[in-house]
């Protein structure tokens, strides 16, 4: 069973540029959530995708957008990068079923640095 | 006031000591998660619980729904337990996946 993978591992971008981060969910998982973790802080929920539809969003501006593909992998896109976007971006997949509670399986994260 | 508060923020222990990390939350939850994050970023889920107590090896997690409080205990701590421990709550509802995180507790266990 393959775990959650993310690419790239590290990324350096310039303010104003656009970035795409990728996440491959664990086999059998149809739900992906994205989180932003600034240095020294706990992660913050960006949004969640379930069966290719956005299913909940945190307090992030529209320049943060995402996609989920038929194989349940996902992308996080950030436009017009700002210095404060520098953070570790984590994705987590889960097997959403009938139960309201389920474990999330985290990827290793992508470290984004905006200069 | 944050929705999820952890204490202490930093914890230093000697190998073999019993460790307790506390988490209080102010919102209704569907489940509470304890997570472990090592340097470099990777997060591992330790427990998910909505009532009572769970045990896995030297780790024990308890939750009191009425008091909105959870604790993570580590018995016979070891230097390899050094990591950031994060409490997160799931709110259920329409956003099943939305987790609200505490700021984490940095645990250092010295040999």
């Amino acid at each position: 069973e393959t775990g959650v993978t993310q690419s790239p591992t590290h990324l350096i971008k310039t303010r104003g540029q656009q970035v795409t981060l990728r996440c491959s969910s664990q086999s059998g998982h149809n739900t992906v959530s994205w989180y932003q973790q600034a240095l020294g802080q706990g992660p913050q929920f960006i949004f969640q995708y379930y069966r290719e539809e956005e299913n909940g969003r945190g307090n992030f501006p529209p320049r943060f957008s995402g996609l989920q593909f038929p194989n349940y992998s996902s992308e996080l896109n950030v436009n017009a990068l700002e210095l404060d976007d520098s953070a570790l971006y984590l994705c987590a997949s889960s097997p959403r079923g009938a139960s309201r509670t389920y474990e999330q399986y985290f990827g290793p994260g992508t470290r984004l640095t905006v200069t | 006031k944050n929705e999820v508060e952890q204490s202490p923020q930093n914890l230093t222990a000697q190998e073999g000591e019993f460790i307790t990390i506390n988490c209080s939350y102010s919102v209704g939850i569907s489940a509470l998660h304890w997570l472990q994050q090592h340097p470099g970023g990777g997060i591992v889920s330790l427990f998910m619980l909505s009532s009572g107590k769970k045990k896995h090896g030297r780790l024990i997690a308890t939750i009191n729904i009425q008091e909105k409080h959870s604790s993570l205990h580590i018995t016979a701590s070891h230097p390899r337990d050094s990591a950031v421990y994060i409490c997160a709550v799931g709110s259920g509802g329409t956003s099943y996946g939305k987790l609200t995180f505490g700021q984490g507790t940095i645990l250092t266990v010295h040999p």
Side-chain angles (χ1 to χ4, degrees), chain B residues 10-24:
Chain B
N10 287 279
L11 184 55
T12 301
Q14 289 297 127
E15 183 173 356
E17 287 184 355
F18 180 85
I19 287 162
T20 296
I21 300 171
N22 295 298
C23 175
S24 297

Side-chain angles (χ1 to χ4, degrees), chain A residues 31 33 35 37 40-45 48 55-58 88 90 96 98-108 111, chain B residues 30-31 33 35 37 40-48 50 86 91-104:
Chain A
T31 303
S33 302
Y35 300 90
Q37 185 178 24
Q41 304 291 320
Q44 299 285 321
F45 176 72
Q48 178 191 73
N55 181 49
R57 189 179 181 91
L88 180 70
L90 296 158
R96 178 176 170 177
S99 171
R100 288 185 167 223
T101 58
Y102 51 87
E103 283 196 63
Q104 295 198 15
Y105 296 79
F106 286 83
R111 175 77 60 187
Chain B
S30 56
H33 303 249
L35 309 165
Q37 186 171 32
I43 288 181
V44 174
S45 178
L46 298 175
F47 295 103
M48 181 184 72
S50 53
I86 304 173
S91 55
T94 57
S95 292
Y96 292 96
K98 179 184 177 182
L99 293 180
T100 302
F101 295 78
Q103 286 204 307

Side-chain angles (χ1 to χ4, degrees), chain A residues 27-42:
Chain A
S27 177
H29 291 187
N30 57 17
T31 303
V32 174
S33 302
W34 284 92
Y35 300 90
Q36 180 196 65
Q37 185 178 24
L39 200 61
Q41 304 291 320

Side-chain angles (χ1 to χ4, degrees), chain B residues 28-106:
Chain B
I29 68 168
S30 56
L32 183 142
H33 303 249
W34 280 103
L35 309 165
Q36 181 191 57
Q37 186 171 32
H38 281 283
I43 288 181
V44 174
S45 178
L46 298 175
F47 295 103
M48 181 184 72
L49 65 166
S50 53
S51 65
K53 174 180 171 179
K54 286 191 176 181
K55 184 176 189 291
H56 180 69
R58 295 180 294 106
L59 302 178
I60 303 167
T62 64
I63 188 168
N64 184 317
I65 296 294
Q66 287 73 29
E67 294 185 4
K68 295 187 175 179
H69 180 269
S70 175
S71 293
L72 175 68
H73 305 285
I74 305 175
T75 62
S77 59
H78 190 276
R80 65 174 174 266
D81 297 326
S82 298
V84 179
Y85 292 83
I86 304 173
C87 167
V89 298
S91 55
T94 57
S95 292
Y96 292 96
K98 179 184 177 182
L99 293 180
T100 302
F101 295 78
Q103 286 204 307
T105 294
I106 302 171

